[in-house]
Amino acid sequence: MNITVLPSTTINNKTGSWRSNRPNFLYDKCTACGICPRVCPEGVIYQTDEINALGKKPFDCDYDYCKGCGLCADVCPFKAIEMETEEK
Ligand code: SF4
Ligand code: SF4
């Protein structure tokens, strides 16, 4: 049985359903420093067009593809990302 997938098929296979935890981006704490997208292994963190309490455009992620690894929450210096248990 072939249990591997071909490379670069993430775009076709929405991998968000694999998660047991998910990041919650706290918009009003985000300083838009730009660190979290640099560590996301899936490249699914993006800057929104919202303006938060700090006058910044906060970051968020595409939950269709986020795998819930928690790296973004680990590196955020401003505690603007909290990991939560995924509700199925
Ligand atoms: S939890 Fe992991 S995959 Fe999801 S947005 Fe954060 S760094 Fe990316
Ligand atoms: S690391 Fe934190 S403060 Fe910086 S852009 Fe990401 S969520 Fe915002």
Side-chain angles (χ1 to χ4, degrees), residues 21-58:
N21 295 301
R22 65 188 271 145
N24 181 21
F25 287 74
L26 307 174
Y27 278 19
D28 281 339
K29 288 187 167 185
C30 177
T31 65
C33 69
I35 293 174
C36 57
R38 284 190 239 144
V39 302
C40 176
E42 302 304 316
V44 296
I45 297 177
Y46 62 92
Q47 190 165 26
T48 69
D49 286 329
E50 310 268 331
I51 302 294
N52 70 8
L54 303 173
K56 305 287 186 181
K57 291 184 176 179

Side-chain angles (χ1 to χ4, degrees), residues 2 8 18 24 29 31 40 46 56 60 65 77 80 87-88:
N2 184 3
S8 305
W18 297 358
N24 181 21
K29 288 187 167 185
T31 65
C40 176
Y46 62 92
K56 305 287 186 181
D60 206 334
Y65 300 103
E87 291 179 22
K88 298 281 181 186

Side-chain angles (χ1 to χ4, degrees), residues 72-86:
C72 54
D74 281 348
V75 300
C76 177
F78 303 99
K79 307 268 185 264
I81 307 171
E82 287 179 346
M83 295 306 290
E84 300 177 334
T85 302
E86 180 75 33

